[in-house]
Every structure is written in structure tokens, then in C-alpha cells.
Amino acid sequence: VVLSNEGLVAHRAAAVLYEAGDAAGAARELEPLLAGDATPKSVLELAGRAFFRSAQLRRAEDAFRRLVERDPSDAYARFALGRTLERQSRREEAAACYRLAAAMDPKAEYVQAVERVS
């Protein structure tokens, strides 16, 4: 999926806002790019991170679930979904996500997340 010129500008602006610590601003900038099933992976990932950081957890969950549906082997998307679920006090669901992420990619951060919720 390729972004239009306007989409590329919005994505870059959102990335700058996110890096500057304005996660809510980044999320607002990405909003128009999230409609439909053809949203690029980079947009979904940045949106999920921005929603998570700005405590818009349901929206973060939606973005990360869309990433997992698109690519079930994406360990980061599963880990990020797990973090979002854990932050919503949904530990059992988070644990399942963390276990899959750690099985796919045994990064210390993923393994520690499994241990933390188990």
C-alpha cells in the first residue's frame, strides 16, 4: 500500500510530533490515514504507538490488532498488543500475546513481559 503525497506529509508530520513528545498530536495527524483496510503498516504501527502513549488504549488496541491480523508473524505487533491489553488490566489476554511474541522472537523485553504477567 502506497500513501498519497498528502498521506506521506501527514505521516512525516505525525512522526515528528511523536518524536517531539506530542503523541496526541501525532494521533490526530494520522486519523485521516486510518480509514479503510488499505492502511499501510507503518501508519498502523505509528498510530498504535501514538494512541498507546496518549492513553487512547482502545484505539491503540485496534491499531495493533489490525497489524496482527495483517501479519500474524509480526512479533512486535503481538508484543505491543500485549502491552496495550496489560495496561487495560487484561492480563490473561496480554500473557497470550507476550508468549507468542517471545516464541517468535526471544528478545529479553518480550521474555520479561511473559514473566511479569505470569
Side-chain angles (χ1 to χ4, degrees):
V1 178
V2 178
L3 289 172
S4 66
N5 285 339
E6 295 83 16
L8 288 171
V9 169
H11 185 269
R12 181 67 188 131
V16 169
L17 288 167
Y18 183 84
E19 291 302 321
D22 185 2
R28 279 190 304 275
E29 193 70 38
L30 292 169
E31 190 71 39
L33 305 179
L34 295 173
D37 294 331
T39 305
K41 179 180 178 177
S42 61
V43 171
L44 286 171
E45 187 174 307
L46 182 56
R49 291 171 37 217
F51 289 139
F52 181 86
R53 189 180 280 178
S54 62
Q56 298 178 59
L57 300 178
R58 296 283 183 190
R59 299 181 85 196
E61 180 183 347
D62 178 61
F64 292 130
R65 282 195 190 281
R66 287 173 67 184
L67 281 171
V68 167
E69 288 170 8
R70 184 171 296 165
D71 182 3
S73 67
D74 185 338
Y76 171 77
R78 289 197 182 271
F79 172 74
L81 177 58
R83 285 186 62 210
T84 304
L85 294 167
E86 182 181 5
R87 193 161 168 198
Q88 295 177 72
S89 299
R90 294 162 60 189
R91 293 174 66 88
E92 287 183 28
E93 292 173 85
C97 291
Y98 289 152
R99 281 193 296 273
L100 283 168
M104 287 186 254
D105 184 355
K107 285 184 180 178
E109 183 178 22
Y110 299 175
V111 173
Q112 290 167 357
V114 172
E115 293 168 356
R116 184 177 61 247
V117 297
S118 296

